[in-house]
């Protein structure tokens, strides 16, 4: 009888508590503030559909595991947070879902934070089905974190993150200084969409921990996420703590690598990396003790160096906490590397990084390359790595002679989309892998657009009469081509380019000539992409003042990158004032791609490409520059590119100059081409006639410069006037000829 009475009382108490739970439907910020501080276990707050501008949300309270406090949108995707909005969680067992952050930026350095302040954090809480789309600070150098996970046992899942273009990590698990407690965060089933190249350090997509607390374990799990074109910097995922698991994720055409940067005892397993030979697509980089990399599948990765399919780094003896601890006891087993450009061992070996990997096993891996080239490279001592049971397709001069069976390995693509040996070979990734599909991540109600930006010439053609160029560009849609007739066109004010647009001249003997009377002809705004084709640009009518430019990036910071293409065009009369540039970059802007092809530049007092305005350490103005089959005569300097500092977190800048003629150029600048801090440079098959030398300064990272097959006529100065490096570098000078043009 007593037991029955106690059970009845307990049931009544539960029912009474449940009855007290409330659902609040709020329609404005005042209504939300009215319930602030009064939420209890089981309560639900529903934000009404619509735009909520400048809304700083604090969800605070103590729910329970079976009765959390919930904040959600009225309908999935119906609540849009704009302007200067953010979200903080404080307490226990809180759940937030069905919100979209768009068209704004956080007023603080954290957009979604699992804390109110340093003393009041969230535990056992969850953010799910949330979208953050291009919610960027307008100053690309201003650093913020989109999602900052503090506390313990928190989860972020089934959410959509796309387009972070200012500095700062997309999602970070924070380990406060002096707190050794594990986070046990779970990050799963999220879609991490395109993140453009940042052009500096601080562009990671996920970071767990920091170097200062990296000797402690976070014990967090990152699993079943999809990373697409997450190109911010060399580290897509930066593991800076111990005891973490990275499992079942897909990295699709993502530049960079999953990097075990600091911390020990991490596990990387059953992940899939698909590069499709996109530049700088990488795999897994191993640093520090007791790391395990197993059962991963890596296909079509073109990355080298720190972005190799598999990289095992050299460490620093007695390393300080923020440098490179020696690889000790790593296990790398049962991974498939299919058509990978590089596997780099003892990577980064130099006078500082002189501690080679030791007690490390590389076993039962499958390496397949149809080219017959050996992808293995050793930059230092690899005697501390043992090899056993590996299978590799034949190579003529293998780097590693033991622990490999080398023979043809026929491959077939299985139902899971991955390639496996058709002959029963057991080495490599397991056959039961089921790569997570993009549509299984994020939310179903928000589009996964993939790589952003319309392609040149993908839209309609707009025929323009004389005098109406600016008007036509203003009404053009992204991807359109503005077609100019032959004859003279005069532009009196700078034309703003804030979309993808092509300006094309007439085909035929009579040119389409554009003259301008302002200091600048085209101003490239955030995300602008300009292509000039078959036009003649004259600077003869521009003001006779220093610092004119045909194309200039925005005078303020732009979060979105821009691109320029110049094809089959002519530039003349850009020497009526000092420092008249063709392309002039500005601080806090980044040209993701500059292409010059089949064009002629005659009489330019400044630079054809002036990319030295970004002088801060680790920053630069142009990611990739390609100059092909063009002619330069009487120009101040063809390309002037600068990247200062010693940070190694970016792939750029990159330059390729081929098949071109550089005549009577560079004397005033002291160089016809000046490259300082450029990471990859190819200068090949060009003719230098009576011009100043090429000047190359290796000062950061692991630069590679190749100067080959060029002719130098009346250019008596050395090709490399200055060359030094702080780390591994390589300069190849071959098959160049001093003498007359053949």
């Amino acid at each position: 009888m007593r037991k029955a009475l106690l059970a009845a009382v307990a049931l009544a108490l539960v029912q009474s508590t449940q009855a007290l739970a409330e659902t609040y439907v709020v329609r404005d910020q005042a209504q939300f503030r009215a319930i602030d501080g009064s939420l209890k276990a089981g309560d639900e707050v529903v934000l009404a559909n619509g735009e909520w501008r400048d809304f700083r949300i604090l969800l605070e309270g103590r729910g329970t595991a079976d009765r959390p406090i919930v904040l959600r949108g009225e309908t999935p995707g119906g609540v849009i947070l704009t302007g200067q909005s953010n979200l903080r969680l404080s307490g226990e067992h809180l759940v937030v879902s069905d919100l979209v952050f768009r068209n704004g930026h956080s007023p603080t350095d954290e957009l979604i934070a699992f804390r109110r302040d340093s003393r009041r954090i969230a535990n056992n809480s969850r953010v799910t089905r949330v979208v953050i789309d291009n919610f960027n600070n307008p100053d690309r150098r201003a650093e913020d974190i989109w999602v900052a996970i503090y506390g313990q046992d928190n989860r972020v899942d089934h959410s959509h993150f796309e387009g972070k273009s200012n500095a700062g990590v997309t999602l970070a698990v924070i380990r406060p200084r002096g707190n050794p407690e594990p986070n046990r965060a779970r990050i799963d089933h999220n879609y991490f969409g395109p993140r453009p190249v940042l052009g500096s350090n601080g562009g990671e997509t996920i970071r767990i921990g920091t170097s200062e607390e990296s000797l402690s374990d976070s014990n967090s799990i990152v699993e079943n996420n999809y990373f697409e074109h997450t190109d911010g910097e060399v580290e897509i995922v930066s593991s800076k703590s111990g005891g973490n698991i990275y499992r079942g994720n897909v990295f699709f055409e993502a530049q960079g690598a999953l990097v075990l940067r600091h911390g020990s005892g991490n596990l990387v397993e059953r992940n899939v990396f698909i590069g499709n030979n996109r530049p700088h697509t990488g795999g897994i980089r191993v640093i520090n003790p007791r790391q395990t990399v197993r059962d991963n599948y890596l296909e079509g990765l073109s990355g080298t160096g720190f972005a190799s399919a598999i990289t095992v780094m050299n460490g620093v003896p007695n390393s300080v906490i923020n440098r490179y601890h020696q690889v000790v006891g790593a296990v790398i087993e049962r991974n498939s590397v299919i058509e990978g450009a590089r596997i780099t061992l003892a990577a980064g070996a130099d006078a500082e990084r002189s501690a080679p990997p030791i007690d490390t096993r590389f076993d039962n891996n499958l390496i397949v390359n149809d080219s017959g080239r050996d992808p293995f490279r050793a930059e230092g001592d690899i005697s501390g790595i043992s090899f056993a049971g590996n299978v590799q397709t034949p190579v003529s001069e293998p780097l590693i002679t033991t622990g490999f069976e080398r023979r043809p390995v026929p491959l077939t693509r299985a139902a899971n989309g991955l390639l496996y040996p058709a002959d029963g070979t057991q080495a490599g990734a397991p056959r039961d892998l089921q790569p997570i599909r993009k549509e299984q991540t994020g939310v179903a109600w928000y589009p996964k657009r993939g790589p952003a930006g319309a392609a040149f010439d993908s839209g309609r053609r707009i025929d323009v009469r004389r005098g109406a160029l600016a008007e036509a560009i203003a009404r053009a849609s992204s991807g359109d081509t503005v077609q100019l007739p032959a004859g003279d066109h005069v532009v009196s004010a700078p034309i703003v380019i804030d979309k993808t647009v092509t300006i094309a001249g007439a085909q035929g003997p009579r040119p389409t000539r554009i003259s301008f009377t302002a200091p600048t002809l085209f101003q490239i705004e955030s995300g602008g992409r300009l292509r000039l084709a078959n036009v003649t640009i004259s600077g003869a009518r521009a003001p006779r003042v220093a610092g004119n430019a045909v194309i200039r990036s925005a005078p303020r910071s732009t979060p979105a990158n821009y691109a320029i293409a110049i094809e089959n065009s002519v530039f003349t009369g850009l020497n009526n004032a000092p420092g008249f540039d063709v392309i002039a970059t500005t601080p806090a802007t980044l040209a993701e791609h500059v292409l010059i092809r089949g064009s002629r530049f005659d009489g330019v007092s400044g630079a054809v490409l002036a990319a030295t305005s970004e002088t801060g350490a680790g920053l630069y103005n142009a990611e990739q520059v390609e100059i092909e089959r063009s002619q330069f005569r009487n120009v101040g300097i063809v390309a002037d590119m600068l990247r200062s500092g010693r940070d190694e977190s970016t792939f750029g800048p990159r330059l390729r100059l081929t098949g071109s003629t550089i005549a009577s150029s560079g004397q005033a600048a002291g160089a016809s081409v000046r490259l300082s801090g450029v990471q990859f440079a190819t200068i090949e098959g060009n003719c230098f006639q009576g011009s100043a030398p090429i000047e190359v300064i290796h000062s950061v990272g692991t630069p590679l410069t190749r100067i080959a097959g060029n002719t130098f006529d009346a250019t008596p100065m050395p090709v490399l006037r200055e060359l030094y490096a702080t780390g591994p570098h390589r300069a190849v000078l071959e098959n160049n000829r001093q003498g007359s043009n053949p």
Side-chain angles (χ1 to χ4, degrees):
M1 181 70 180
R2 178 178 176 81
K3 289 184 178 180
L5 179 61
L6 290 174
V9 171
L11 178 61
L13 287 173
V14 169
Q15 290 173 337
S16 174
T17 303
Q18 289 176 341
L20 293 175
E22 299 281 352
T23 296
Y24 301 93
V25 179
V26 297
R27 304 191 181 282
D28 56 38
Q29 295 187 39
Q31 290 181 350
F32 185 85
R33 287 191 295 270
I35 61 173
D36 185 24
S38 64
L39 297 174
K40 57 191 177 302
D43 283 354
E44 182 179 55
V45 180
V46 180
L47 299 183
N49 286 347
E51 179 180 334
W52 294 70
R53 187 169 185 81
D54 301 332
F55 189 13
R56 302 188 183 191
I57 305 172
L58 172 63
L59 180 65
E60 191 167 33
R62 293 192 173 274
T64 63
D66 58 340
R67 303 183 69 239
I69 297 173
V70 174
L71 169 69
R72 66 174 178 87
E74 182 179 1
T75 61
V79 174
I80 312 297
L81 293 127
T82 65
Q84 296 192 42
S85 298
N86 62 6
L87 167 67
R88 291 175 294 159
L89 290 77
S90 173
E92 299 279 342
H93 295 289
L94 310 172
V95 177
V96 177
S97 67
D98 300 319
L99 305 178
V100 176
F101 289 86
R102 193 172 63 204
N103 298 328
H105 65 93
S106 174
T108 63
D109 57 6
E110 294 168 344
L111 174 54
I112 297 176
F114 282 71
R115 69 169 184 173
R116 177 174 180 171
D117 52 41
S118 61
R119 293 179 295 107
R120 291 171 286 189
I121 61 176
N123 296 305
N124 299 293
S125 295
R126 182 182 183 191
V127 170
T128 183
R129 302 194 308 274
V130 166
V131 172
I132 307 177
D133 184 358
N134 284 279
F135 207 74
N136 295 308
N137 193 301
D139 183 353
R140 68 184 295 121
R141 295 172 295 190
E143 185 171 342
D144 62 19
I145 298 172
W146 273 4
V147 181
I149 304 177
Y150 295 84
Q152 294 178 298
D153 301 297
N154 294 311
R155 182 183 182 192
V156 175
D157 66 285
H158 294 89
S159 292
H160 178 123
F161 308 108
E162 178 176 353
K164 190 175 198 316
S165 57
N166 66 304
V169 184
T170 304
L171 184 151
V173 177
I174 310 297
R175 300 189 52 69
R177 186 182 296 273
N179 183 0
E181 295 298 317
N183 301 99
R184 294 190 298 273
R186 185 181 176 198
I187 302 159
D188 65 286
H189 293 88
N190 300 291
Y191 172 70
F192 292 96
R195 176 163 191 179
V197 173
L198 180 61
S200 70
N201 188 17
E204 304 99 327
T205 295
I206 291 179
R207 189 189 71 217
I208 298 182
T210 59
S211 58
E212 290 80 3
E213 301 300 316
S214 60
L215 297 183
S216 61
D217 291 346
S218 178
N219 292 345
S220 293
I221 297 175
V222 179
E223 63 180 348
N224 296 323
N225 302 283
Y226 197 96
F227 298 82
E228 181 175 26
H229 284 239
T230 45
D231 301 341
E233 60 149 274
V234 297
E235 297 181 15
I236 302 169
V237 175
S238 183
S239 185
K240 293 188 174 182
S241 53
N244 301 308
I245 297 174
Y246 303 92
R247 177 172 56 209
N249 304 286
V250 170
F251 296 81
F252 181 75
E253 296 183 355
Q255 293 186 351
L258 189 165
V259 180
L260 303 177
R261 183 63 182 87
H262 296 299
S264 304
N266 295 288
L267 172 62
V268 181
E269 66 174 357
R270 300 178 70 86
N271 301 283
V272 172
F273 297 77
I274 303 295
N276 288 330
N277 294 311
R278 188 166 180 256
H280 305 300
T281 47
I284 303 159
R285 178 154 51 117
V286 179
I287 315 166
N288 312 302
R290 305 189 316 279
Q291 314 286 29
T292 299
V293 176
R294 68 188 183 199
D295 298 339
N296 300 283
Y297 180 93
L298 309 99
E299 181 183 346
L301 302 179
S302 68
T304 60
F306 288 178
S308 298
I310 296 175
T311 305
V312 181
M313 281 199 67
N314 256 33
V316 176
N318 302 311
S319 176
V320 295
I321 201 166
N322 66 338
R323 288 301 288 158
Y324 294 89
H325 289 269
Q326 187 176 23
V327 173
V328 180
V331 176
I332 303 169
E333 62 183 2
R334 300 190 305 273
N335 303 286
S336 291
V337 180
I338 310 297
E339 299 301 334
R342 191 67 50 84
I343 296 171
T344 304
L345 308 176
D350 60 13
E352 181 202 23
R353 291 181 292 226
S354 59
I358 59 173
D359 300 329
T360 291
R361 294 193 291 113
F362 191 97
D363 297 345
N364 301 308
N365 300 285
L366 174 67
I367 316 297
V368 176
N369 287 80
D370 286 343
S371 66
R373 293 193 300 268
D374 189 359
F376 284 93
R377 296 290 186 276
E379 296 181 352
D381 178 14
I382 60 171
S383 61
I385 305 175
S386 66
F387 301 87
N390 302 288
V391 175
Q392 182 182 15
T393 48
V395 295
S396 57
E397 297 181 8
L399 174 72
I400 304 160
T401 56
T402 61
F404 283 81
E405 179 185 357
R406 292 189 170 88
R407 56 178 171 78
V409 180
L411 299 176
T412 59
R413 200 168 292 277
N416 63 2
L418 309 181
L419 291 168
Y420 291 97
D423 59 1
T425 296
Q426 295 302 304
R431 292 178 178 264
D432 64 349
L433 285 179
Q434 291 298 327
I436 190 110
R437 301 191 307 275
K438 183 162 65 171
E439 59 268 24
Q440 293 176 301
T441 63
V443 297
W445 42 264
Y446 201 87
K448 299 176 179 67
R449 296 184 294 268
F456 288 124
D457 304 320
S458 61
R460 57 181 176 152
R461 167 174 161 160
I462 302 174
D463 290 307
V464 182
R465 68 182 188 280
R466 289 184 190 172
L469 176 58
E471 176 188 345
I473 291 175
R475 61 185 172 87
S477 298
S478 204
D480 286 353
T481 297
V482 174
Q483 185 68 50
L484 291 175
D488 293 330
H489 302 260
V490 180
V491 176
S492 59
I495 297 175
V496 172
I497 305 295
D498 57 2
K499 65 197 77 170
T500 300
V501 64
T502 294
I503 300 174
Q507 300 277 3
R510 190 180 176 206
T512 298
R513 183 186 303 273
I514 304 174
S515 301
F516 57 105
T517 60
T520 301
L521 175 55
F522 299 109
Q523 180 170 303
I524 311 291
E525 291 293 336
S526 184
R529 295 165 55 85
L530 173 65
R531 175 173 175 259
L532 300 175
N534 302 310
V535 296
T536 295
I537 306 291
S538 171
R541 298 190 182 188
R544 296 181 180 274
V545 296
N548 292 335
V550 177
I551 304 169
R552 192 188 308 275
S553 54
R556 71 198 71 80
S557 176
T558 57
N561 300 335
Y562 66 95
I564 296 169
I566 298 171
E567 299 182 79
N568 304 316
S569 294
V570 176
F571 292 76
T572 65
L574 307 182
N575 54 4
N576 61 356
F580 203 144
D581 298 326
V582 177
I583 301 171
T585 64
T586 52
T589 65
L590 180 68
E592 196 160 304
H593 191 198
V594 175
L595 170 66
I596 298 173
R597 177 187 293 141
S599 296
R600 178 164 58 88
F601 302 82
D602 194 348
V604 178
S605 63
V608 174
L609 172 63
T612 61
S613 67
E614 197 70 273
T615 57
L619 305 175
Y620 53 94
N621 293 115
E623 177 71 16
Q624 180 177 357
V625 178
E626 296 179 90
I627 303 173
E628 307 172 356
R629 297 181 285 104
S630 295
Q631 300 177 37
F632 305 87
R633 182 176 297 277
N634 295 318
V635 304
I637 189 169
V638 174
D640 197 358
M641 301 175 65
L642 170 67
R643 183 204 191 283
S644 60
R646 291 189 58 190
D647 182 80
E648 299 173 288
S649 60
T650 62
F651 293 114
R654 293 171 279 163
L655 169 77
R656 183 174 178 83
L657 170 61
T658 59
S660 297
T661 299
I662 296 93
S664 304
S665 297
Q667 284 86 354
S672 56
V673 176
R674 179 180 290 117
L675 309 176
S676 180
V678 171
Q679 294 300 287
F680 297 90
T682 297
I683 302 175
E684 185 172 10
N686 305 287
C687 181
F688 291 81
Q689 301 173 347
S691 296
I694 300 166
E695 180 179 333
V696 177
I697 302 173
H698 284 179
S699 57
V700 60
T702 56
L704 171 61
T705 298
R706 184 170 187 268
I707 302 176
N710 302 285
T711 297
F712 295 90
D713 179 17
T715 304
M717 301 172 70
V719 173
L720 297 181
R721 192 166 71 177
E722 186 174 7
L723 176 64
Y724 67 91
T726 57
H729 65 283
R730 188 177 177 206
V732 177
L733 282 71
E734 59 186 10
N735 300 323
N736 297 293
R737 189 174 68 162
Q738 187 84 36
S740 61
N741 185 24

